Amino acid sequence: MRSSRNPAAYPRDTIGASLGENEALLRQLFAHCYDIVYQRVELSDACTILMVYIDGLIDKNVFQSPLFQSWVLEKAHPGAKQTVDTPTVKEHFSVVRPIRGESGLRAITESILQACLAVFIEGESEALLLDSAGWEHRAVDEPASEMAIRGPRESFTETLQVNTSLLRRRIRTPQLKLSPVTLGTMTKTNVVVAYVEGVVRPELLELVMRRLESVRTEAVLETGYIEEFIEDQSFSPFPQTINTERPDIVAANLLEGKIAILTDGAPQALILPITFWTAFQAAEDYYERFLFATLVRWTRYILFAMSLYLPSLYVAVTTFHPQLLPTNFLPNITSAREGVPFPGVIEALLMEFLFEGLREAGVRLPKAVGSAVSIVGALVIGEAAVKAGIVSAPMVIIVAITGIASFAIPRYNMSIPFRILRFPLLIVSGALGLYGIAMGTLIILVHMARLESFGVPYLSPIAPFQPGQVQDVLIRAPRLKLNSFKAILRGKPLRR
C-alpha cells in the first residue's frame, strides 16, 4: 500500500507547561510505537522531569551525568532531597551533551525521531533536546566492490558521521565544507554535500544545491534515490554521476573541484560531474607508476571495445561478410555452425541472455554458492548446448570473452550501459551487417556528444578537444605533468 503524502497531524503547534499534558500529546503521536520510552524522574520535591527517547537509537552513557548519579544515590539512601531547579537541570545536561531549547511540537517530535533525547520539565513550556545518537553500526571495513592491490583498505559505512570523519582525516583543511540537507517528507534523511571551497566552481555548487532543494519525494533510502532526481537526462543509459565506497576516491575528486553527496544509511557516495572517461579510471592508476597505469588503462579500452562489439562483429561477419574471414579459418566456422537451427543473431541473443541470467543469479545467490552456480552453470550449459546442436562452439567462446571483458570496467554503473547497448547492436548487425554496426555506433556517439553532466560535456576533453587535459584520459601522465580536472570545469558556462 502506498503511504500517504500528508504529514502526521499534530494536535497543537507548541507544548504546554504541564508534564502530564505533554506526555499525553506525545503518546497520541507515537501511538502503537513500542520502542518509544517515557521515563519520569523526580529529582526533588519541586522538580520532576520526563525523558522521551527511542530505545536503541540513543547512547545510554547520557544517563551517567552527575545529575542522575546524585538521583540514584538519593534513591538508594533516602533522606533530605536535594534542591534541584530548572537552571540546575539545564546546567547538568549541558555538561553531558550540547543542548538546545524547543517549544514547537513538530520540531520536538522530529528531533526524537532523529535520535535526540527530549527532556520535559514540570512547569516549563520548553523542552531540552540533547543530540545523543548512539546506535549500533557496522565498523569500517575493506571495500567489497572496489578492491585494490595498493592503496587504503577503508570503505564507507551506513553511518553518515563515520563517513564524514573519513573525509576529514584525508582533507585536513577548513576549506572542506560539509553542507547538510534533509530530504524525504517521510524519512527525513540527512544528506551532506561535500566540496572544497575555493576549488569547486561556485556556479556548479549553486546548481547542485538548487537541484537538491527541488527534490520532492517521500523517501530517500539510498544515493540512487537522489541520483535520478538531479541528473541532466534521466532517460539516457549513461550515468551522469558515479558512486564509490572508497573515501580516498572521494577525497581525490573533491580536490579536483568536484562535489560529493553522502547519504545517511548508504555506504556509497555520489561524485559529480563526471565524463565518459571516468569509467576507465581506477584508484590504483594513481598509486602505481604512470607507465604501468597507462598500459592497464589501454587494456581496459580494448576490453571495453570487445565487450560492446565482439558479438555484433561475429554475427555481421559470419552472416553478411564471410569474405572478410581468412580462407583457412572459414571452413572451421562453417562446419561449427553446421546443424545449428538458429540464425547467428538469434544464437547470439540466446547466449547473451543466458549469460546475463547466470551473472544475475551469481549476484543474488548467497556468496558461498553464487560463484559456483555462475561458473559451473556456464560450463555445463555451454557444453550441453554445443553437444545438443543448439549453439555453435565459436559462439560460446565469443560470449565468454565478451562477459570477461565487461568485468574489466572499474565502475560497475558505467558497465551497465554497455551491457544494455550490446543487445540493440546485435539486432542491427543481424539485420544490416557492418553497416548496421556503423549506424548504431554513430547514434551512440551523437547521443554522448550531446550529453552533459552538470554542464560538463560527457566526452570532454576529447569532444570538445582540449589538448591540455588529455594527460589523464588516453594515458596517465607522470604526476608532475598531471593537470587537475578543474580546467575542464572552467571550460564552458554551466547550462541552467
Side-chain angles (χ1 to χ4, degrees), residues 431-459:
L432 303 174
L434 293 179
Y435 176 75
I437 296 178
M439 292 299 297
T441 302
L442 182 61
I443 293 174
I444 294 173
L445 289 177
V446 169
H447 171 73
M448 294 176 65
R450 298 182 59 184
L451 188 62
E452 292 183 353
S453 173
F454 296 86
V456 177
Y458 206 63
L459 293 178

Side-chain angles (χ1 to χ4, degrees), residues 180-197:
V181 181
T182 302
L183 299 178
T185 57
M186 300 293 290
T187 59
K188 305 292 184 184
T189 306
N190 294 323
V191 177
V192 166
V193 180
Y195 59 93
V196 178
E197 190 177 39

Side-chain angles (χ1 to χ4, degrees), residues 59-340:
D59 184 6
K60 295 300 180 64
N61 291 328
V62 73
F63 299 114
Q64 304 300 320
S65 68
L67 179 69
F68 290 104
Q69 293 298 320
S70 62
W71 174 74
V72 171
L73 290 175
E74 179 69 29
K75 290 298 182 183
H77 304 284
K81 287 187 175 294
Q82 302 179 9
T83 302
V84 180
D85 51 11
T86 299
T88 306
V89 173
K90 293 182 179 180
E91 179 183 355
H92 278 282
F93 274 116
S94 63
V95 173
V96 183
R97 298 287 171 88
I99 63 173
R100 70 180 190 275
E102 182 62 60
S103 59
L105 182 58
R106 180 188 295 271
I108 294 172
T109 304
E110 293 179 353
S111 298
I112 294 174
L113 293 171
Q114 294 176 1
C116 282
L117 171 65
V119 181
F120 300 85
I121 306 174
E122 182 68 57
E124 293 289 331
S125 58
E126 186 180 68
L128 303 179
L129 299 177
L130 287 78
D131 187 5
S132 53
W135 56 80
E136 296 293 331
H137 58 82
R138 183 169 59 93
V140 177
D141 204 351
E142 292 191 21
S145 60
E146 298 177 75
M147 301 300 295
I149 298 176
R150 183 174 180 178
R153 295 290 195 273
E154 292 179 329
S155 68
F156 288 129
T157 70
E158 288 77 11
T159 305
L160 186 60
Q161 289 78 7
V162 175
N163 297 341
T164 55
S165 65
L166 291 174
L167 291 181
R168 285 290 184 190
R169 285 178 51 195
R170 287 165 171 81
I171 306 179
R172 301 178 181 180
T173 172
Q175 290 180 270
L176 174 61
K177 306 300 181 182
L178 303 172
S179 299
V181 181
T182 302
L183 299 178
T185 57
M186 300 293 290
T187 59
K188 305 292 184 184
T189 306
N190 294 323
V191 177
V192 166
V193 180
Y195 59 93
V196 178
E197 190 177 39
V199 179
V200 68
R201 192 176 178 184
E203 47 266 47
L204 171 63
L205 177 62
E206 179 187 353
L207 177 62
V208 172
M209 297 301 293
R210 187 168 65 250
R211 290 187 181 181
L212 285 175
E213 292 172 357
S214 65
V215 173
R216 297 291 181 268
T217 182
E218 294 179 354
V220 173
L221 302 178
E222 210 269 342
T223 53
Y225 285 63
I226 303 174
E227 180 180 1
E228 295 190 29
F229 277 103
I230 66 175
E231 61 187 359
D232 292 69
Q233 296 188 23
S234 299
F235 291 96
S236 173
F238 296 95
Q240 287 108 68
T241 65
I242 61 170
N243 59 79
T244 179
E245 58 181 349
R246 295 179 60 104
D248 57 322
I249 294 180
V250 175
N253 282 273
L254 292 179
L255 294 173
E256 292 177 353
K258 299 182 185 179
I259 295 175
I261 300 176
L262 296 91
T263 305
D264 192 19
Q268 294 92 14
L270 287 181
I271 299 176
L272 53 95
I274 65 168
T275 65
F276 170 75
W277 316 105
T278 308
F280 306 97
Q281 298 173 353
E284 280 186 323
D285 294 353
Y286 305 95
Y287 300 145
E288 299 288 352
R289 299 187 70 249
F290 73 96
L291 290 176
F292 176 74
T294 301
L295 175 63
V296 173
R297 188 169 292 181
W298 271 101
T299 303
R300 296 191 193 114
Y301 287 130
I302 296 173
L303 291 174
F304 148 72
M306 293 173 61
S307 69
L308 184 60
Y309 290 110
L310 191 57
S312 303
L313 287 174
Y314 176 81
V315 170
V317 170
T318 55
T319 305
F320 294 94
H321 315 283
Q323 67 275 12
L324 296 178
L325 294 173
T327 306
N328 297 334
F329 187 58
L330 184 58
N332 296 334
I333 297 293
T334 305
S335 61
R337 284 198 46 79
E338 187 177 355
V340 176

Side-chain angles (χ1 to χ4, degrees), residues 397-412:
I397 297 174
I398 292 295
V399 172
I401 295 176
T402 302
I404 295 173
S406 65
F407 289 116
I409 300 176
R411 303 292 169 203
Y412 175 76

Side-chain angles (χ1 to χ4, degrees), residues 42-57:
E42 293 183 5
L43 298 176
S44 67
D45 292 333
C47 185
T48 303
I49 66 173
L50 170 67
M51 295 181 296
V52 183
Y53 58 91
I54 298 180
D55 190 21
L57 288 188

